[in-house]
Amino acid sequence: MAAPAETIRPEAQRKVKILLVDDSPENLVSLEAALYTLGEELVLANSGTEALRHLLEDDFAAILLDVKMPDMDGFETAELIRSRPRSRHTPILFLTGYKSDEHLFRGYDLGAVDFLFKPIVSEVLRSKVAVFVQLSRNAGLLREQAQTLSEQAMVLQKAEQKFRSLLEAAPDAMVMCRQSGEVVLVNSRTESLFGYSRSDLLGNDIHLLVPDWEYQIRLVPDEDISKARSSGERELHAVRSDGTGFPVEISFSPLQTEEGILITSAIRDITDRRRAEEQIRELNTYLENRVLERTEELLRSNDELAQFAYAASHDLQEPLRTISIYTELLVKRYRGRFEGDADLFIEHITTNARRMGLLIRDLLDFSRVDSRGSDHFTLTSCDAALDEALANLRIPIQESNAVISRDPLPAISGDPVQLIRVFQNLISNAIKYRGRELPRIELRAEPRDHEWLFAVQDNGIGIEPDYTEKIFGIFKRLHAQGEHPGNGMGLAICRKIINRHGGRIWVESEPGRGSKFCFTLPKNN
Ligand code: ADP
């Protein structure tokens, strides 16, 4: 395993400098010899002037200063050393041959920290200097620590500034408080939202702003605060300084600090949102009621229309039958006896009476689709219904040489009579609206999620896209009677039957490329 990297403390490693000042080279040599074993850097000066020069360039842990020197003696040198800011606090040890009080006083007056009397004892000198070396080193360490601390303080200050500007920029009112509710920090949005000044709020209780404010975080001992989930967002009631209330949404986030747990609450005024929600709710209720009313109206009028259609077509049948009987009598007895166009007119009456009869029959069929009771619903084989429809269409199929291909069809819950009708209408249309080629008709069904999708595909004339929806309407047709006979009720009846069975019907087609009539029927459960 690799040894952990040691923290390198530059100040503890660096050699310190000691300035030795003596006019006698021999003395300097013996001082140097005595201090050599300390392992520090020794700087030699043989006059006060030289010593001052060194002091301009360097910092020293201690100065050993000979008192008696020509030109500038030790005291004068010390005076100048003390007068310079850089060396004001550098410890000075005077080296002197005299043990006079005057010397001592003057020396201490000049800030000497000690006196060493000649002849100098190496051990004493070394141990005294060693103390100053240690002192200087400690002072260096302290300086370094102070520097680190001031750098850290700067970083912290910047972080706090950032935090405060973030808080100020927040669109919500941000309130930081203790678990007890005591407010310790607010942003300016809090002032404007609640109408209190910052000083009113600091130290006050958050319940002043949000009476139901409650946030309790229970930490298991040693649990990390980040693991304690904030309780998410809550909608509460807030109160302004003027006593008016308003709804707010609050999100809480806990923060572990030296002072304990602090909770930051982001408080958002949701008056507008509530109002909008209320409006949407009212609008929805109004719309639901309107839809209900309209549906009832429609159902009523639909019912009335169906009754009318049924009654009208039923009642029309009788006079129409009378007209038909009498026109037949007219033809039988008087054909060729009238002058001019009378025979032609009678023929028109007969044809139209027949057509009207068919129209009335289909209309009656249409209005009867829904009136058939649900007891007609039974498990119906669509294969059997198709067989029946094909049997009913035997003649047109033979006449047109139509080729009909079919896949096996499922059994569903339905009204067999009506399902036969659907197949019959769709296949007869496929034959009726054939193109130049022999009619080819394919029938198939495939399962979807909850339903079967049926398709009746032909190779006939096709339908313009604009009309694919219209053709399912009552009496809606795209061809003149002479071109293709019919009365436009077949598909309307198909749609009504399929809808009654819970399905949908539509057509996919292109003119000249055939049509595919699709319908769905729910699967039989
Ligand atoms: P009708 O056949 O009596 O006119 P329908 O309701 O059955 O009434 O059909 C409505 C119209 O839809 C028809 O007049 C015809 O124009 C068009 N149509 C129906 N089936 C087809 C088809 N298979 N191919 C082309 N057009 C069709």
Side-chain angles (χ1 to χ4, degrees):
M1 202 173 76
E6 249 179 55
T7 325
I8 297 166
R9 298 163 71 188
E11 196 55 41
Q13 303 263 318
R14 203 180 305 134
K15 284 186 176 185
V16 300
K17 288 180 177 172
I18 303 161
L19 182 59
L20 314 177
V21 193
D22 202 312
D23 60 318
S24 146
E26 295 85 51
N27 284 352
L28 277 178
V29 169
S30 59
L31 283 174
E32 200 178 7
L35 297 175
Y36 173 74
T37 50
L38 288 180
E40 308 298 341
E41 191 179 333
L42 304 172
V43 179
L44 311 182
N46 51 26
S47 70
T49 320
E50 200 184 340
L52 288 170
R53 206 173 51 242
H54 283 302
L55 282 160
L56 276 180
E57 292 159 6
D58 275 319
D59 292 318
F60 291 88
I63 305 166
L64 269 61
L65 191 54
D66 184 22
V67 172
K68 204 166 134 295
M69 287 190 294
D71 300 333
M72 195 187 333
D73 71 10
F75 295 135
E76 285 165 330
T77 311
E79 209 170 329
L80 287 169
I81 288 172
R82 287 283 173 259
S83 68
R84 291 179 181 172
R86 185 168 185 172
S87 52
R88 178 161 300 144
H89 302 293
T90 312
I92 300 172
L93 283 105
F94 282 113
L95 310 171
T96 179
Y98 312 104
K99 214 176 196 169
S100 78
D101 286 348
E102 187 200 339
H103 262 185
L104 287 179
F105 286 142
R106 193 157 170 221
Y108 286 127
D109 218 25
L110 286 166
V113 291
D114 213 343
F115 278 87
L116 284 165
F117 299 101
K118 294 178 182 175
I120 293 192
V121 184
S122 295
E123 287 73 26
V124 177
L125 172 70
R126 218 173 10 252
S127 66
K128 288 203 170 180
V129 172
V131 171
F132 291 110
V133 165
Q134 195 53 49
L135 267 177
S136 155
R137 199 160 268 142
N138 287 349
L141 278 175
L142 277 176
R143 260 198 311 279
E144 235 173 43
Q145 279 169 5
Q147 173 72 19
T148 315
L149 279 176
S150 93
E151 278 167 13
Q152 282 172 355
M154 196 97 94
V155 171
L156 275 177
Q157 202 180 346
K158 275 191 186 149
E160 194 181 331
Q161 259 167 17
K162 252 190 213 162
F163 172 70
R164 279 179 191 275
S165 37
L166 258 178
L167 214 64
E168 284 306 314
D172 297 331
M174 304 291 290
V175 180
M176 194 183 259
C177 60
R178 300 186 200 287
Q179 293 230 74
S180 62
E182 187 200 338
V183 175
V184 293
L185 195 79
V186 295
N187 66 351
S188 49
R189 177 77 186 113
T190 313
E191 296 177 287
S192 62
L193 185 61
F194 287 92
Y196 285 106
S197 73
R198 209 172 284 239
S199 54
D200 285 341
L201 292 173
L202 296 180
N204 218 321
D205 196 310
I206 191 158
H207 294 94
L208 179 72
L209 309 179
V210 185
D212 298 331
W213 189 93
E214 193 198 351
Y215 186 83
Q216 280 307 320
I217 181 167
R218 279 169 207 89
L219 282 183
V220 184
D222 297 333
E223 191 192 353
D224 183 359
I225 186 93
S226 61
K227 287 193 193 128
R229 294 245 153 253
S230 67
S231 62
E233 282 161 0
R234 286 171 58 194
E235 291 190 7
L236 293 171
H237 180 76
V239 183
R240 291 191 195 87
S241 61
D242 61 9
T244 54
F246 61 105
V248 288
E249 182 184 80
I250 306 185
S251 53
F252 305 94
S253 11
L255 194 73
Q256 178 87 65
T257 70
E258 278 180 1
E259 302 172 48
I261 292 170
L262 291 180
I263 299 134
T264 309
S265 309
I267 305 175
R268 177 168 298 180
D269 181 358
I270 53 166
T271 310
D272 291 344
R273 196 175 83 193
R274 278 275 175 86
R275 201 173 294 139
E277 282 169 0
E278 188 53 35
Q279 276 170 356
I280 289 173
R281 241 194 317 275
E282 277 171 14
L283 215 66
N284 270 347
T285 318
Y286 171 75
L287 281 176
E288 273 166 22
N289 288 341
R290 282 293 294 149
V291 167
L292 225 66
E293 277 170 25
R294 287 290 295 149
T295 314
E296 270 171 21
E297 269 169 37
L298 279 172
L299 281 175
R300 212 173 24 249
S301 71
N302 229 3
D303 222 36
E304 282 166 5
L305 263 178
Q307 279 175 26
F308 169 77
Y310 181 78
S313 36
H314 189 266
D315 293 352
L316 277 173
Q317 268 182 327
E318 200 42 49
L320 186 65
R321 211 169 286 138
T322 315
I323 292 172
S324 300
I325 290 167
Y326 282 102
T327 33
E328 268 170 37
L329 275 176
L330 260 179
V331 173
K332 252 191 215 162
R333 293 191 193 169
Y334 302 102
R335 189 200 293 269
R337 299 222 213 140
F338 291 121
E339 284 180 9
D341 296 331
D343 280 349
L344 189 67
F345 293 166
I346 293 171
E347 199 184 316
H348 280 325
I349 293 171
T350 318
T351 318
N352 279 290
R354 205 176 302 126
R355 247 200 92 205
M356 200 164 162
L358 292 175
L359 276 175
I360 289 172
R361 186 202 63 197
D362 281 350
L363 207 55
L364 260 176
D365 283 353
F366 181 81
S367 45
R368 276 186 192 131
V369 169
D370 280 340
S371 58
R372 268 172 77 84
S374 54
D375 49 333
H376 288 99
F377 267 63
T378 163
L379 181 64
T380 305
S381 153
C382 291
D383 268 328
L386 176 59
D387 288 342
E388 190 82 25
L390 292 174
N392 295 343
L393 294 169
R394 194 168 39 86
I395 295 168
I397 291 172
Q398 277 173 0
E399 282 175 359
S400 63
N401 286 323
V403 180
I404 296 175
S405 56
R406 55 191 278 189
D407 284 350
L409 302 181
I412 55 111
S413 163
D415 184 332
V417 173
Q418 292 189 334
L419 292 175
I420 295 169
R421 186 76 189 263
V422 170
F423 284 121
Q424 197 168 316
N425 284 4
L426 295 179
I427 296 168
S428 78
N429 277 352
I431 295 171
K432 188 159 51 161
Y433 300 106
R434 62 181 176 266
R436 285 202 203 92
E437 297 168 29
L438 283 183
R440 266 184 293 105
I441 305 163
E442 288 168 26
L443 289 112
R444 54 180 178 274
E446 56 184 73
R448 292 280 163 93
D449 287 348
H450 305 291
E451 56 189 20
W452 286 97
L453 173 64
F454 291 78
V456 179
Q457 184 149 22
D458 63 42
N459 60 341
I461 57 173
I463 301 161
E464 289 282 352
D466 283 354
Y467 298 111
T468 50
E469 185 50 38
K470 288 193 184 123
I471 54 172
F472 290 94
I474 299 174
F475 299 134
K476 287 288 183 305
R477 45 197 333 266
L478 307 177
H479 304 279
Q481 205 51 236
E483 212 180 337
H484 294 288
N487 54 30
M489 285 299 291
L491 291 179
I493 290 173
C494 285
R495 172 164 279 181
K496 205 162 189 198
I497 292 174
I498 295 297
N499 288 351
R500 180 171 180 245
H501 282 72
R504 292 157 286 127
I505 184 167
W506 68 97
V507 64
E508 294 163 10
S509 179
E510 246 183 81
R513 311 196 66 153
S515 311
K516 182 160 96 170
F517 281 84
C518 304
F519 62 92
T520 61
L521 287 173
K523 279 185 182 166
N524 180 49
N525 293 320

